[in-house]
Amino acid sequence: MVIETATPRVEQLGEVLDAVRAWQDDAAPLQLHPGDVGWFWRFGATATAAALRTWRRDGRVVAVGLLDGPGLLRLGVAPDLLRDDELARRVAADAADPACGVLGPGPVSVESPVGALIDERLADAGWAQDEPWALLRRDLAGPVEDPGVRAHVVGPADAPAWAEVLRSAFDGARAAPERWHALAGGLPFADARCLLLHDVDAAGEPAAVVGVWSAGAGRPGLVEPLGVHADHRGRGLGRAATLAGLVALRALGASSALVATPAANAGGVATYVAAGFEHQPARRDRRREA
């Protein structure tokens, strides 16, 4: 059967998200999550649709890619097709050829699920391994520890404080109140929570933010993003924010929590481990230098 590659229209985003949501399973490797698309939605629905690529076989969505910037394709694949050679060859070929409208020329990277045949087909084509990513998971069957800090769900009035904390946490990242409003208007946000934490040692100032995204009851959720304001670091707020997010995620019915961070981010990895996350097999993207 012919595999078709396309960029979805805005009105097709719900269908694409339904597919990605259905692929989330505690027995499957960590891969593109509805929360990844939800976090990208801070740039608006039109930009989100333009950043997505779908692969369909006989009308069924079998793979989805998110262009997280012009040089990185993040993939989700139907779990029953992770080792499908026809699909792997097609996705790898589309990623390699700029004329296919997936990735452009020059240095680019592809992130695929651990164990996916796509990774091997890119290796066959000469793509090198990139830096490792730490993948972590925490089971949410049991209760989560008390974060020990005051946290509340971010609403429209909190958007400026949310943006300020993110800008500081990520060294001037593009964060503005209107980004939160776009985020909150996205389809995935119905199953998400953004939390703002306050530092009791600094007159209750906004100090940390965490976002959590459910893929539906009984499925793993995602933590994205997690950030602590530069003026409030070193006080355990990263762990506290993580735990607050896990409480919210468990209330949404998530079976577990997932997170991915560069393995070189030792502080971030330590924060998640301190909040009860356990390491999963590491992942390396595939990179084409030229």
Side-chain angles (χ1 to χ4, degrees):
M1 290 179 283
V2 175
I3 296 175
E4 299 178 331
T5 311
T7 300
R9 302 184 302 274
V10 169
E11 59 268 27
Q12 294 176 310
L13 288 175
E15 179 191 8
V16 175
L17 284 165
D18 284 345
V20 176
R21 188 178 294 111
W23 299 340
Q24 307 305 313
D25 191 295
D26 286 312
L30 189 155
Q31 60 172 322
L32 186 72
H33 191 277
D36 294 311
V37 181
W39 177 235
F40 192 94
W41 211 297
R42 68 195 187 277
F43 301 115
T46 300
T48 301
L52 288 168
R53 299 293 182 272
T54 59
W55 286 264
R56 293 176 184 264
R57 178 190 281 161
D58 196 26
R60 175 195 176 193
V61 177
V62 293
V64 175
L66 172 66
L67 288 166
D68 202 353
L72 173 61
L73 179 69
R74 305 177 62 190
L75 289 170
V77 181
D80 61 312
L81 298 175
L82 284 171
R83 304 295 298 174
D84 185 277
D85 190 58
E86 180 188 31
L87 178 60
R89 290 181 182 277
R90 177 58 185 270
V91 174
D94 286 349
D97 185 357
C100 292
V102 178
L103 287 164
V108 292
S109 297
V110 173
E111 170 195 295
S112 58
V114 172
L117 192 57
I118 294 167
D119 179 73
E120 296 171 35
R121 294 296 167 255
L122 289 170
D124 293 342
W127 292 51
Q129 285 191 325
D130 212 337
E131 295 300 312
W133 280 71
L135 309 182
L136 302 106
R137 181 189 301 268
R138 170 165 170 165
D139 184 81
L140 294 177
V144 177
E145 306 91 296
D146 184 347
V149 296
R150 183 165 64 92
H152 69 272
V153 176
V154 175
D158 302 303
W162 173 88
E164 180 184 351
V165 173
L166 279 180
R167 280 195 299 269
S168 175
F170 295 102
D171 299 323
R174 290 187 298 167
E178 53 266 30
R179 298 287 192 209
W180 182 86
H181 291 287
L183 184 81
L187 293 177
F189 200 76
D191 297 316
R193 298 289 184 272
C194 278
L195 302 176
L196 186 64
L197 280 76
H198 301 264
D199 191 341
V200 295
D201 295 328
E205 293 179 0
V209 295
V210 61
V212 292
W213 306 82
S214 169
R219 299 186 183 277
L222 181 73
V223 179
E224 177 67 42
L226 172 72
V228 178
H229 194 289
D231 294 342
H232 299 270
R233 292 174 183 161
R235 301 175 186 174
L237 287 170
R239 177 178 181 272
T242 303
L243 292 175
L246 295 179
V247 170
L249 199 53
R250 188 169 184 266
L252 288 167
S255 57
S256 64
L258 307 173
V259 71
T261 190
N265 179 17
V269 171
T271 293
Y272 292 118
V273 170
F277 281 78
E278 297 180 348
H279 284 275
Q280 304 297 297
R283 180 183 66 214
R284 287 178 179 265
D285 297 351
R286 285 288 171 183
R287 182 169 180 81
R288 183 191 66 201
E289 293 297 340

